[in-house]
Amino acid sequence: MQEKLCKNTQHSHAQLLGLYFLRSSFSSLAPTAITCITRGLDLRKERADVLCPANCPLWQAYVFGNAVYASLSSICGAAIHRGVITNTGGPVRVQTLPGQDNYSAVYVNGIQSQMLSRWDSSFSTGAQEAAGRSVSTARPSTGKRLKKPLEKKAGNKDCKADLAFLIDGSYNIGQRRFNLQKNFVGKIAVMLGIGTEGPHVGVVQASEHPKMEFSLKNFTTTKDVLFATKEIGFRGGNSNAGKALKHTAQRFFSVENGVRKGVPKIIVVFLDGWPSDDLEEAGIVAREFGINVFIVSVARPTNEELGMVQDVGFVDKAVCRNNGFFSYHIPTWFGTTKYVKPLVQKLCSHEQLMCSKTCYNSINIAFLIDGSSSVGDSNFRLVLEFISNIVKAFEISDIGAKVAAVQFTYDQRTEFSFTDYTTKEKVLSAVRGIRYMSGGTATGEAITHATRNVFAPVKDGPNNNFLVVLTDGQSYDDVRGPAAVAHKAGITIFSTGIAWAPLDDLREMASEPKETHTFFTREFTGLEQIVPDVIRGICRDFLESRQ
């Protein structure tokens, strides 16, 4: 009996030992204890579970960054800053990340993180779960599980935009309606489909003085944005929406705050009643930065209150288009659900975001058209069709893309300048109306004419200026010198040759690299195939000039 009991005991111990090793192979049951000043660079693992002590002095919490921290930061300080733990300590999962530029400074959870221009390694912090997984949001659960689609990291690629929600935090709205406003912003965030390749959002609170609550790069999932928005505190003060809009336009959309190149920039301004300052100047600043401003007004002022409004036309003066698209009215903060989808549809209608600075609505493009006798009238029509097909790709307006055309033989004739037509329809009509000159070919003088008389009066930046030269033969004059002057003036030249145009002339006119700025076709009918290459080339140069 005793022998049997001993065997059973041995068998039980063996089972327990096997179970221990089995469990150990799946998860780390005992996180490594660290001190308050242990830094990310002190860990040698790609991922580690650590245990922070209680009552870390906040002055010891040297933290650089926000959400992603430079590895010289205190791990426990970063975990408190992120909201993974409180000052009572606890387990933290640390994930090693690559280094990055521009770690931001943000005050949250009692810790002021510091800015750092560059560091060679980083880390993030997250809470632990029983199965060895980490909660990437680094925050306590709200107890409410979000729908599955919101967990997709890529997000809604069809609505890729950088958005700032400028919420009203004035005494005019009050605490109760302020909370309803935050709920409305949360509903919008859910429908937008926030993700790494979709919309990115941040929030600025307008009150006496504007405050950026979180930036574009702080959160890239909907659930994180929902939690961060819920945690925003009511500030009070006057509704200085103009001051906040100007501040947001000038400082929010920066590389440090996570702005992406070539992505539409949008500010959604929420106003309860009316602003206590002027929006017009702020609207002008936003337009200069290529930002689309949407005004969402709630509870418009009554007739008795209109006398308190500085400018009753403040909405039209703040947006870049007075066409009703950029303004949106909600009668009350109660029952806002039905207003979410129509607003999100506007924010995702990128083809109507005329204020975004992209190649399609920001460039000055001039066409230098060979009108020599060798071209012929029927081929000249094909050249004009080529120009029209390129023009159709761009958004032409008084604040958007601009088009000019010059025809040349031995002489030059400006068919229309950048300021003559401000709609695509009028430009296309003007192109169709160009009459064939016939004569010789002096391409060099034509380039000089375009540089002096077409581009020189334009005040836009030099990186916005493009010249497309179309010619079918040898120039009677030098093209190298005039082209060099144009390049020096900031004009990017695409040379397009047809039939007998010599390749040497085309390359000497073209901007660097020559291979991507020179095109040739044997027949005029081949121009149609070159259209997308020219458009892509212009947009590529536009984007590269802003890197």
Side-chain angles (χ1 to χ4, degrees), residues 104-152:
S104 60
V106 178
Y107 178 81
V108 65
N109 295 325
I111 293 180
Q112 173 67 61
S113 68
Q114 306 299 314
M115 292 183 65
L116 189 64
S117 59
R118 188 172 185 178
W119 197 252
D120 57 4
S121 60
S122 313
F123 69 89
S124 64
T125 59
Q128 293 176 251
E129 290 182 340
R133 296 168 293 168
S134 65
V135 181
S136 62
T137 55
R139 58 173 175 80
S141 172
T142 59
K144 186 175 182 180
R145 190 174 292 274
L146 297 172
K147 293 180 180 179
K148 200 86 172 174
L150 300 179
E151 304 301 324
K152 293 181 180 179

Side-chain angles (χ1 to χ4, degrees), residues 273-316:
W274 63 92
S276 55
D277 61 348
D278 183 26
L279 280 180
E280 184 173 11
E281 182 187 352
I284 293 171
V285 171
R287 287 192 288 278
E288 290 175 348
F289 281 89
I291 299 167
N292 299 274
V293 176
F294 283 81
I295 302 291
V296 179
S297 57
V298 186
R300 288 172 178 160
T302 63
N303 291 332
E304 294 78 16
E305 295 170 327
L306 283 175
M308 303 171 62
V309 182
Q310 289 190 22
D311 187 351
V312 292
F314 65 85
V315 172
D316 292 338

Side-chain angles (χ1 to χ4, degrees), residues 218-449:
N218 289 149
F219 310 108
T220 53
T221 65
T222 304
K223 60 183 180 181
D224 283 349
V225 170
L226 286 174
F227 181 80
T229 303
K230 183 180 178 182
E231 294 297 299
I232 295 173
F234 176 58
R235 292 173 63 81
N238 289 322
S239 57
N240 291 331
K243 181 179 180 180
L245 175 57
K246 186 176 181 181
H247 172 88
T248 306
Q250 292 176 325
R251 302 187 183 183
F252 182 88
F253 296 98
S254 65
V255 174
E256 293 78 11
N257 290 332
V259 73
R260 294 171 290 179
K261 292 182 176 66
V263 175
K265 298 190 285 289
I266 302 171
I267 300 176
V268 184
V269 183
F270 294 96
L271 282 174
D272 186 282
W274 63 92
S276 55
D277 61 348
D278 183 26
L279 280 180
E280 184 173 11
E281 182 187 352
I284 293 171
V285 171
R287 287 192 288 278
E288 290 175 348
F289 281 89
I291 299 167
N292 299 274
V293 176
F294 283 81
I295 302 291
V296 179
S297 57
V298 186
R300 288 172 178 160
T302 63
N303 291 332
E304 294 78 16
E305 295 170 327
L306 283 175
M308 303 171 62
V309 182
Q310 289 190 22
D311 187 351
V312 292
F314 65 85
V315 172
D316 292 338
K317 292 180 179 179
V319 300
C320 70
R321 276 287 184 277
N322 182 15
N323 59 2
F325 178 76
F326 294 96
S327 58
Y328 194 68
H329 180 68
I330 300 174
T332 175
W333 289 114
F334 297 91
T336 56
T337 302
K338 62 183 178 181
Y339 299 102
V340 173
K341 186 175 180 179
L343 177 56
V344 169
Q345 287 175 336
K346 286 191 172 192
L347 299 178
C348 294
S349 298
H350 291 174
E351 69 278 1
Q352 297 190 58
L353 301 182
M354 293 295 293
C355 285
S356 297
K357 290 290 185 184
T358 68
C359 66
Y360 298 108
N361 62 20
S362 300
I363 68 162
N364 305 312
I365 178 170
F367 295 92
L368 205 55
I369 311 165
D370 188 345
S372 62
S373 56
S374 59
V375 175
D377 191 68
S378 60
N379 286 333
F380 190 76
R381 293 297 111 192
L382 292 175
V383 170
L384 297 185
E385 186 177 343
F386 169 79
I387 293 170
S388 295
N389 288 334
I390 293 176
V391 168
K392 288 174 184 176
F394 295 91
E395 299 298 333
I396 299 161
S397 70
D398 56 340
I399 64 166
K402 298 177 179 64
V403 176
V406 174
Q407 186 178 175
F408 69 95
T409 57
Y410 283 134
D411 298 317
Q412 307 84 37
R413 184 172 75 196
T414 301
E415 302 292 351
F416 55 90
S417 67
F418 289 126
T419 56
D420 286 343
Y421 304 111
T422 57
T423 68
K424 186 183 299 185
E425 292 73 21
K426 289 182 179 179
V427 170
L428 291 173
S429 177
V431 170
R432 288 192 297 268
I434 295 175
R435 296 291 174 259
Y436 177 45
M437 289 173 64
S438 187
T441 307
T443 314
E445 287 188 14
I447 294 173
T448 300
H449 174 86

Side-chain angles (χ1 to χ4, degrees), residues 12 76 144 189 251 272 357 444 470 519 524:
S12 177
C76 297
K144 186 175 182 180
R251 302 187 183 183
D272 186 282
K357 290 290 185 184
L470 296 115
F519 301 96
F524 280 86

Side-chain angles (χ1 to χ4, degrees), residues 422-540:
T422 57
T423 68
K424 186 183 299 185
E425 292 73 21
K426 289 182 179 179
V427 170
L428 291 173
S429 177
V431 170
R432 288 192 297 268
I434 295 175
R435 296 291 174 259
Y436 177 45
M437 289 173 64
S438 187
T441 307
T443 314
E445 287 188 14
I447 294 173
T448 300
H449 174 86
T451 303
R452 292 176 178 174
N453 301 302
V454 177
F455 287 102
V458 176
K459 295 180 180 179
D460 292 356
N463 294 325
N464 293 355
N465 295 328
F466 296 86
L467 178 65
V468 178
V469 180
L470 296 115
T471 180
D472 80 327
Q474 175 79 49
S475 177
Y476 287 101
D477 61 356
D478 172 59
V479 296
R480 179 185 294 181
V485 173
H487 296 157
K488 191 174 181 180
I491 301 169
T492 300
I493 298 180
F494 287 85
S495 58
T496 303
I498 312 107
W500 301 279
L503 185 59
D504 288 345
D505 276 10
L506 297 177
R507 290 179 60 84
E508 286 181 348
M509 289 187 289
S511 295
E512 294 287 351
K514 304 292 185 181
E515 294 75 17
T516 58
H517 292 81
T518 304
F519 301 96
F520 179 80
T521 176
R522 287 290 180 189
E523 305 291 338
F524 280 86
T525 53
L527 285 171
E528 182 181 357
Q529 299 176 0
I530 299 175
V531 169
D533 294 327
V534 174
I535 294 170
R536 280 194 294 267
I538 290 171
C539 288
R540 177 201 60 228

Side-chain angles (χ1 to χ4, degrees), residues 51-128:
L51 183 65
C52 287
N55 301 319
C56 283
L58 295 185
W59 59 268
Q60 289 186 357
Y62 289 107
V63 177
F64 300 86
N66 183 42
V68 175
Y69 302 94
S71 61
L72 75 165
S73 303
S74 157
I75 294 173
C76 297
I80 297 172
H81 184 266
R82 183 71 170 133
V84 178
I85 58 173
T86 65
N87 203 32
T88 57
V92 176
R93 171 150 290 181
V94 183
Q95 178 71 50
T96 301
L97 300 170
Q100 65 177 37
D101 297 329
N102 301 312
Y103 295 87
S104 60
V106 178
Y107 178 81
V108 65
N109 295 325
I111 293 180
Q112 173 67 61
S113 68
Q114 306 299 314
M115 292 183 65
L116 189 64
S117 59
R118 188 172 185 178
W119 197 252
D120 57 4
S121 60
S122 313
F123 69 89
S124 64
T125 59
Q128 293 176 251

